[in-house]
Amino acid sequence: MKFEHHVMSQLTLEEKAALVSGKDSWYTATIDRLGLAPMMMSDGPSGLRKQLGTPDQTDINESIEAVCFPASALTACSFDREQLNQLGHQLGTAATAEKLGVLLGPGINLKRSPLAGRNFEYFSEDPYLVGELAAAYVKGVQAEGVGVSVKHFAANNRENRRFTSSSNVDERTLRELYLATFEKVVKQANPATIMCSYNAINGTLSSQNRRLLTNILRDEWGFKGLVMSDWGAVADHTAAIKAGLDLEMPGKGDQSVDEIVTAVKNGSLAEADLDRAVSRVLKMIQDWQPADSKQANPYDMEAQHEFARKLATNSFVLLKNENAVLPINKGDKLAVIGELAAHPRYQGSGSSHVNAHRLVTPLETINQVRPDATFVAGYSLTADRIDQAAIAEAVDVAKSADKVIIFAGYPERLESEGFDKTSIDLPANQNQLIEAVSQVNQHVVVVLQNGSAVRTPWADHVAGMLETYLAGEAVGEATWDVLSGKVNPSGKLAETFPLRLEDTPSYLTFDADLQDENYREGLFMGYRYYDKKKQPVQFSFGYGLSYTMFKYTGLQLKVTGDHVSGTVKVKNTGSRSGAEVVQVYVGNRTSQIEKPIKTLANFVKVSLVPGEEKTVSFELDQRAFSWYNPRKADWQVDNGQYDVLIGSSSTDIRLSDTVELDWAPEQQIHIDQSTYIGDLMAQAKFAKAVEQVGLTDVFKKLADDHDPAAKMFRNMPLRAATTMGVTPAKIDKLIEIMNG
Ligand code: BGC
């Protein structure tokens, strides 16, 4: 007999009720009588936040020491599945050593607006990229014997009023964007658990959304694991269990038990529904409870620190490098400016916060390798007030330096889980400092530390820009590795940097309404919007420079069976070793629906020494060419032409070709009174049918593309053919013949 069935058969109703709520913030319930020990879970996506001491600790920053890895906003820029898989292994190793059953992450919501407070914890604006990287990460963690909780399911794209706001999204957008990340991870990586989000979707709270938690997640996608709530997301536990939620986190103690027991007794909750949730809790414990859950083991934190450093360097995005200002030369006299060099922003705030094992600041690293570099703070991080004396001091040191590195970024006080931002501007004291310093030195490099896209109004005035996001505890070493050229940057932006907040697709609606978050931009989110709107941006999705150059040639595409396979040659034409992210986009020329110009459909990261050329292969499956048809409640591929575009970024397309697909079954169109005359005329049978009815002359005139009247009539339904003098009887006859 399976463990969960064996235990289930011995449980009292009260014990079952206890099991579907957490014992406290981090543990499942204990049933001493049956020897069922509590299983521990902890955040988070970029390092462990295991909290000891009082179980319901409210100081979220107090947790055991752990290595702080780069935040997902940065790791996504690696466009490297292998690196994300290794990150998963590292986290899994740490979690195993700490005797955790489940790690609460990764967060795989999309970055719909740069204002969303929690963007740093998420990967990208593109669902394909998120799905691929998150699946690799999840496989890595779970291979170490620790389960994950993929969060926050679903459409959790703002923080303000996150417990009650309703994300109102049309079905196609939901499927193609906001659910797609979860679908891929569920199908590819089999996560132990999914965490439902706080928000409602189209009016129904995720925690009690049967369509989401049961119909889509389990019945459609085949999810076999457990669904837990986000912390405090359950408003009505009975309704939640009925809808498909298995575990409420944290529990409310006796109140939770009483609620469920009463509901079963008074018939408002079927015991079978409760049993289903209990059995999933038991199965999770059986599958993921560490063998000996008491004693934590030591593990090699220094090796993890080195990995954190490597992951960061492979993810940083070189945004600008005029006249090869970077890498810094050995003899360059350096001025280092910016409080963030000494007090870096290197991790997120809120539940992903890690008590870092060993933070190395940029200033510490630079002081060690370049003791002659001058440092001034230039601004304060605690307030936005412009300090003219600090700016004057910075200008002074900049004047006598060969190169100036300004550390700038978005202060933590303005960017965190739990609330949204109101601006994407850096504090005025930083912007003014950068402008002033760039007036006296032509070799200014700005190193950015931020959780999400920021506005860079001074971009044209500085020579270099390096985006380091929240780089983890090895921020200092990693930043210097790239500035000094020890590592050639290869990251690409996983989100668009707009010129202005007003240019962003959800600008008109984001956080506008306390209750309703209306996704009126629909599918046109991120680069899908900027592309279609031809809206200029500061830096586009997929963009990132290198210290070397890459040349693309020889795109070959082949349609085989149910997929398209392709190859392209990439050559390193510069003088340094480097890595390039080959991005494959698909453009649908065929379907007559609202659609973006192109969407990311695959990517391959390739490392090349100078002069080396490699052939990169990729495959595109049916989904790459599909759209979600809400009328049929299914994915659909239409027969016809599709563009396959190979880019170094979403706006730097190097090669392209088209493929012709005939995967869909031949479409028999049914003709009736509402069929448009133009559509009717495109049918093979048409000429013969009109001849039989004696209408050849009438319709012949309509073929003339230069005659506006002909165009007007083609754009009418058959029933309106009476306006051309066709009798209703003849229309009926024509319909009969066409359908015959
Ligand atoms: C967050 C989750 C997190 C949980 C436990 C919630 O507030 O939304 O992402 O896992 O707290 O810390």
Side-chain angles (χ1 to χ4, degrees):
M1 196 195 255
K2 274 193 176 167
F3 165 82
E4 61 265 29
H5 297 148
H6 174 69
V7 177
M8 177 82 87
S9 61
Q10 303 179 60
L11 291 172
T12 63
L13 178 60
E14 284 70 18
E15 286 166 340
K16 288 179 187 173
L19 274 168
V20 293
S21 296
K23 181 177 166 196
D24 52 43
S25 280
W26 308 118
Y27 285 96
T28 53
T30 317
I31 313 281
D32 288 333
R33 188 175 70 81
L34 301 174
L36 195 67
M39 191 199 79
M40 188 175 194
M41 41 198 131
S42 284
D43 290 303
S46 317
L48 302 190
R49 187 173 73 96
K50 180 180 171 187
Q51 297 204 295
L52 298 172
T54 50
D56 291 308
Q57 206 153 342
T58 48
D59 183 351
I60 55 178
N61 291 344
E62 220 168 273
S63 54
I64 58 144
E65 178 182 329
V67 173
C68 176
F69 296 100
S72 302
L74 177 61
T75 62
C77 301
S78 71
F79 275 68
D80 191 334
R81 298 172 183 89
E82 179 50 35
Q83 294 267 303
L84 268 291
N85 184 256
Q86 282 182 32
L87 171 62
H89 278 282
Q90 302 281 343
L91 289 164
T93 302
T96 309
E98 288 296 342
K99 305 292 177 191
L100 297 175
V102 165
L103 184 74
L104 305 174
I108 64 168
N109 298 98
L110 294 181
K111 299 178 203 242
R112 173 173 169 255
S113 163
L115 292 179
R118 214 170 172 178
N119 278 352
F120 57 81
E121 220 177 312
Y122 299 138
F123 292 96
S124 173
E125 67 191 23
D126 180 80
Y128 178 81
L129 179 61
V130 176
E132 288 290 302
L133 297 182
Y137 169 124
V138 168
K139 286 182 198 165
V141 178
Q142 296 199 158
E144 296 296 331
V146 178
V148 297
S149 194
V150 177
K151 58 195 190 182
H152 309 87
F153 191 51
N156 187 181
N157 305 102
R158 80 177 212 191
E159 290 296 283
N160 286 355
R161 305 257 168 172
R162 62 177 171 164
F163 286 80
T164 51
S165 74
S166 176
S167 298
N168 301 326
V169 201
D170 70 85
E171 185 66 9
R172 198 176 146 213
T173 303
L174 206 49
R175 296 292 188 147
E176 292 188 24
L177 299 182
Y178 300 97
L179 294 184
T181 60
F182 291 93
E183 181 183 2
K184 172 161 279 180
V185 175
V186 164
K187 289 182 175 170
Q188 285 190 4
N190 203 10
T193 84
I194 297 274
M195 187 190 294
C196 81
S197 59
Y198 287 125
N199 56 283
I201 300 181
N202 297 325
T204 306
L205 282 177
S206 298
S207 60
Q208 49 198 64
N209 196 321
R210 186 175 173 79
R211 180 158 190 266
L212 186 74
L213 302 186
T214 298
N215 303 352
I216 296 178
L217 180 64
R218 293 190 187 275
D219 302 346
E220 276 189 43
W221 299 347
F223 178 65
K224 296 275 182 287
L226 168 139
V227 178
M228 68 175 74
S229 72
D230 198 345
W231 270 229
V234 171
D236 176 339
H237 199 181
T238 303
I241 293 179
K242 281 187 190 164
L245 185 100
D246 304 308
L247 178 63
E248 175 195 40
M249 286 304 294
K252 299 191 280 282
D254 289 346
Q255 190 195 325
S256 289
V257 176
D258 290 349
E259 247 171 48
I260 299 300
V261 168
T262 310
V264 172
K265 284 191 174 154
N266 71 19
S268 55
L269 177 65
E271 192 157 356
D273 282 343
L274 175 61
D275 286 356
R276 191 188 53 217
V278 173
S279 70
R280 289 189 193 132
V281 173
L282 293 173
K283 184 167 185 315
M284 173 182 75
I285 296 172
Q286 164 78 356
D287 289 350
W288 303 104
Q289 175 79 290
D292 167 15
S293 53
K294 289 188 197 77
Q295 194 63 50
N297 292 323
Y299 60 102
D300 190 347
M301 291 198 192
E302 277 307 303
Q304 293 213 337
H305 179 93
E306 273 313 301
F307 175 76
R309 171 178 181 173
K310 187 172 137 207
L311 180 56
T313 60
N314 287 336
S315 308
F316 289 160
V317 187
L318 182 63
L319 296 174
K320 187 169 183 189
N321 196 17
E322 221 169 63
N323 301 323
V325 64
L326 290 176
I328 287 160
N329 301 316
K330 285 228 154 53
D332 287 338
K333 186 168 179 237
L334 291 186
V336 178
I337 299 175
E339 183 62 17
L340 283 163
H343 296 104
R345 242 198 105 198
Y346 64 100
Q347 66 166 324
S349 189
S351 61
S352 66
H353 185 279
V354 176
N355 176 10
H357 158 62
R358 182 164 69 85
L359 168 66
V360 180
T361 71
L363 191 58
E364 280 165 353
T365 304
I366 295 174
N367 277 340
Q368 204 174 33
V369 291
R370 302 296 286 268
D372 53 335
T374 323
F375 169 73
V376 293
Y379 57 84
S380 151
L381 277 171
T382 50
D384 297 357
R385 197 180 53 81
I386 295 166
D387 180 344
Q388 294 298 357
I391 292 181
E393 188 190 18
V395 165
D396 219 40
V397 301
K399 276 184 188 158
S400 54
D402 296 326
K403 286 181 184 165
V404 181
I405 309 166
I406 303 182
F407 285 81
Y410 216 83
E412 189 171 56
R413 67 191 153 86
L414 301 174
E415 187 170 37
S416 166
E417 176 186 341
F419 61 89
D420 294 317
K421 297 184 285 183
T422 52
S423 163
I424 57 168
D425 290 349
L426 298 183
N429 54 5
Q430 295 190 33
N431 279 336
Q432 186 139 343
L433 170 86
I434 298 170
E435 292 288 7
V437 170
S438 60
Q439 275 172 26
V440 300
N441 192 307
Q442 300 300 300
H443 304 108
V444 173
V445 175
V446 176
V447 175
L448 285 169
Q449 296 173 354
N450 41 280
S452 185
V454 291
R455 205 164 75 89
T456 57
W458 31 258
D460 288 344
H461 308 153
V462 298
M465 290 170 70
L466 181 69
E467 176 56 77
T468 67
Y469 282 106
L470 308 179
E473 64 173 52
V475 53
E477 296 138 309
T479 305
W480 183 253
D481 284 345
V482 169
L483 292 178
S484 65
K486 184 177 167 207
V487 176
N488 188 351
S490 59
K492 302 278 188 173
L493 287 181
E495 64 182 323
T496 308
F497 274 45
L499 280 165
R500 309 176 310 156
L501 180 62
E502 292 83 345
D503 296 341
T504 59
S506 57
Y507 174 71
L508 298 176
T509 51
F510 186 77
D511 271 343
D513 188 297
L514 286 183
Q515 180 56 36
D516 287 304
E517 182 60 39
N518 297 315
Y519 290 46
R520 293 199 206 281
E521 74 288 351
L523 293 168
F524 300 103
M525 189 270 276
Y527 68 88
R528 288 162 165 79
Y529 170 81
Y530 301 108
D531 246 17
K532 187 99 177 183
K533 186 87 194 307
K534 297 191 170 56
Q535 176 76 53
V537 299
Q538 183 73 59
F539 299 112
S540 39
F541 174 84
Y543 169 80
L545 302 171
S546 163
Y547 295 151
T548 187
M549 284 159 312
F550 302 98
K551 193 170 167 211
Y552 290 66
T553 52
L555 171 63
Q556 306 263 355
L557 297 172
K558 200 165 150 223
V559 185
T560 30
D562 61 355
H563 64 275
V564 173
S565 37
T567 54
V568 60
K569 289 184 191 146
V570 187
K571 185 171 184 179
N572 181 342
T573 56
S575 54
R576 283 171 180 270
S577 293
E580 168 73 328
V581 177
V582 178
Q583 299 162 44
V584 186
Y585 295 87
V586 167
N588 179 344
R589 291 188 177 203
T590 296
S591 312
Q592 296 201 8
I593 48 169
E594 286 176 12
K595 53 181 189 273
I597 293 187
K598 61 179 183 297
T599 56
L600 184 71
N602 210 332
F603 56 88
V604 184
K605 192 160 187 174
V606 57
S607 296
L608 298 161
V609 299
E612 189 184 11
E613 181 174 77
K614 280 186 186 161
T615 299
V616 168
S617 314
F618 58 87
E619 290 212 339
L620 303 170
D621 59 12
Q622 286 233 10
R623 179 60 72 84
F625 303 91
S626 306
W627 59 284
Y628 188 83
N629 186 343
R631 287 208 169 86
K632 295 203 287 189
D634 206 354
W635 294 88
Q636 178 169 326
V637 193
D638 297 319
N639 291 338
Q641 288 200 329
Y642 293 80
D643 292 316
V644 176
L645 309 134
I646 308 295
S648 177
S649 87
S650 63
T651 50
D652 182 7
I653 300 300
R654 303 289 181 88
L655 298 168
S656 69
D657 204 347
T658 56
V659 286
E660 179 88 32
L661 301 183
D662 60 359
W663 293 338
E666 200 57 56
Q667 286 208 337
Q668 288 291 337
I669 87 156
H670 178 79
I671 310 293
D672 59 27
Q673 296 279 354
S674 297
T675 304
Y676 274 79
I677 292 174
D679 293 347
L680 183 79
M681 290 170 71
Q683 299 300 302
K685 289 182 184 172
F686 174 72
K688 212 153 163 224
V690 280
E691 198 186 321
Q692 275 177 267
V693 195
L695 289 172
T696 305
D697 287 347
V698 178
F699 283 97
K700 207 168 170 185
K701 283 189 252 157
L702 303 191
D704 185 354
D705 260 343
H706 300 290
D707 177 5
K711 284 181 162 171
M712 183 176 80
F713 282 117
R714 291 206 305 259
N715 196 24
M716 285 182 173
L718 206 40
R719 64 179 138 81
T722 48
T723 60
M724 298 187 288
V726 182
T727 63
K730 285 203 171 186
I731 296 176
D732 286 344
K733 187 75 193 156
L734 184 58
I735 292 174
E736 192 189 315
I737 298 171
M738 287 296 293
N739 287 330

